[in-house]
Amino acid sequence: MQHDKIRRKRLKFYSVSRFITQLTAVMMVVLAAAAPAWAAAQRETVSTVKLTVYCDPKPEVGKETGTVTVTQTDGRFSISEPAFYYDPDDIVWLRGEIPVIRLEVSLNDTLTYRFTSATKVTVSGFQSEVKTKKVLGGGDSLRVDITLPKVTGPLGDIEDYYWEGNTAHWSDAGDGDRYEVRLYRGNTLVKTVNTNRNEFDFYPYMTRAGEYSFRVRGLSSLDGQKSPWTDRSEDNSISASSVYTGSGPGGSPSPSEPAGWQQDNRGWTYRQADGSLVRGRWIYVDNNWFHMADNAYMDTGWIYTDNNWFYLNPVSDGTRGAMKVGWQYVDNNWFYLNPISDGARGAMRAGWQYLNGNWYYLNPISDGTRGAMKTGYQKVGGVWYYLDPGSGVLWVNRTVPNGSVADSSGVLH
């Protein structure tokens, strides 16, 4: 019996010892797991990162993208991924493009310092600004995106300008998208007009005999640039017998032919106050823009003019032919047509578009569906993105269906 008591005490002692040993092992594992987090919390946060940008050459319309360098002088970290232009639209800069520079900064001593969301990034040089920053590797690195001012540059000179009858004609002003034209009789300014075409019929303003001339300059709605004025054109002589005798713009129609819309078995035409039909240009009627073809008949559906695609209502609902703007669902695709009166109202947009607080990607390729809203996984500029399959909105700061994570710029990792 005494022997059984001793045996039971020994078994109890061994059980307690084993429990203590196991508990100690568990505590060591917990402490080991907690140590990195504790150590990370003890690292000093880098409060400020100061960067300096240098571009060679400075981004300007028509110039090659060149190279960009970003430097810093703080010995606690280094630029681990050299700066580069992120997804430029072309090998040369385009007017209105906003250059984005991307680089990564990494700590030299990751045991002592760390980056956090509170780390402030400042940048100087070439009017640069910080767009976004993202902490990587648990605070060991920082990815920074920097923007430069919108690309601009002088518009080209208008080389040719001449009369054809009473219509002024002129050549392009580089990549300008509008023109300002002034008509003179002798040295008297008669009329100033703005147009997105390379011609303008001034005859309705030639109501007095004299020597008429014009001059023109190009405009850009993207950056406000203006080309130099041309010299005066050659004179266009209007005799007393050939002056415009109609009522002029805004006047009463000619009694022989009523002005306005007229329909025949081919379609709709629009007759002006002088009795002539509008051909090959836009007209603004009843608060809507319409486009009349060269044969004088009203266009409908998709048309390509003024270096852009436009969509004109094809439905006979009382506004047939009217230019559409905003989101439009056409042929099983969504398109976005510029709703802003900036010289390109109604023009179909393509590529990345920031609309109402969200990014969308509209097919930039002329493959028959240019401008169509993209959805799902899309590879753009060598980088994958995920666009909502229903709305087309770019996903940011969230996990996409395949398990990848979209960062603040939408790039999948």
Side-chain angles (χ1 to χ4, degrees), residues 161-169 182-184 200-203 206 211-215 233-237:
Y161 44 99
Y162 53 91
W163 288 105
E164 278 192 3
N166 298 317
T167 299
H169 292 259
R182 291 181 178 177
L183 175 69
Y184 298 86
F200 192 86
D201 181 4
F202 276 117
Y203 186 53
M206 296 175 173
E211 302 294 326
Y212 287 87
S213 62
F214 72 92
R215 62 176 181 158
S233 70
E234 294 183 351
D235 288 339
N236 181 18
S237 297

Side-chain angles (χ1 to χ4, degrees), residues 125-319:
F126 289 78
Q127 298 177 277
S128 52
E129 295 181 355
V130 175
K131 179 185 180 185
T132 60
K133 69 176 188 292
K134 181 178 179 62
V135 178
L136 305 173
D140 293 346
S141 300
L142 199 65
R143 179 192 295 151
V144 183
D145 282 355
I146 300 168
T147 59
L148 298 178
K150 184 184 294 186
V151 174
T152 185
L155 289 176
D157 292 348
I158 296 174
E159 300 291 343
D160 298 316
Y161 44 99
Y162 53 91
W163 288 105
E164 278 192 3
N166 298 317
T167 299
H169 292 259
W170 55 89
S171 59
D172 290 338
D175 57 352
D177 54 3
R178 294 195 66 79
Y179 299 91
E180 182 179 2
V181 196
R182 291 181 178 177
L183 175 69
Y184 298 86
R185 185 182 65 255
N187 290 321
T188 302
L189 177 64
V190 176
K191 182 68 176 178
T192 300
V193 298
N194 279 271
T195 178
N196 57 5
R197 297 178 61 83
N198 291 75
E199 62 182 58
F200 192 86
D201 181 4
F202 276 117
Y203 186 53
Y205 303 99
M206 296 175 173
T207 57
R208 298 174 61 181
E211 302 294 326
Y212 287 87
S213 62
F214 72 92
R215 62 176 181 158
V216 57
R217 66 177 176 180
L219 310 174
S220 171
S221 60
L222 292 174
D223 58 2
Q225 288 289 312
K226 301 175 181 179
S227 75
W229 283 102
T230 64
D231 293 332
R232 294 274 197 94
S233 70
E234 294 183 351
D235 288 339
N236 181 18
S237 297
I238 299 295
S239 65
S241 61
S242 59
V243 297
Y244 180 71
T245 56
S247 59
S252 301
S254 168
S256 60
E257 284 285 354
W261 291 110
Q262 296 180 344
Q263 187 181 29
D264 60 22
N265 59 357
R266 293 182 60 187
W268 287 94
T269 58
Y270 192 85
R271 189 172 297 280
Q272 299 180 99
D274 64 353
S276 64
L277 296 175
V278 177
R279 298 173 184 272
R281 66 181 176 90
W282 293 98
I283 58 171
Y284 190 70
V285 182
D286 298 329
N287 298 316
N288 283 298
W289 283 101
F290 299 84
H291 191 270
M292 312 307 292
D294 290 338
N295 63 5
Y297 284 93
M298 180 184 75
D299 285 318
T300 60
W302 288 111
I303 66 167
Y304 186 78
T305 185
D306 305 322
N307 296 317
N308 283 296
W309 283 99
F310 298 84
Y311 188 67
L312 311 178
N313 183 19
V315 181
S316 298
D317 58 1
T319 62

Side-chain angles (χ1 to χ4, degrees), residues 346-368:
M348 183 188 75
R349 292 198 176 166
W352 285 111
Q353 300 294 327
Y354 188 69
L355 307 170
N356 299 321
N358 291 300
W359 282 101
Y360 299 83
Y361 189 65
L362 311 180
N363 182 19
I365 302 172
S366 298
D367 60 359

Side-chain angles (χ1 to χ4, degrees), residues 43-49 74-80 104-116 119 135-142:
R43 290 192 292 170
E44 180 182 344
T45 296
V46 175
S47 60
T48 304
V49 174
D74 195 317
R76 293 174 297 174
F77 44 83
S78 304
I79 295 179
S80 54
E104 287 187 15
V105 178
S106 297
L107 290 165
N108 296 327
D109 182 358
T110 58
L111 297 178
T112 306
Y113 301 103
R114 65 171 177 166
F115 295 120
T116 70
T119 299
V135 178
L136 305 173
D140 293 346
S141 300
L142 199 65

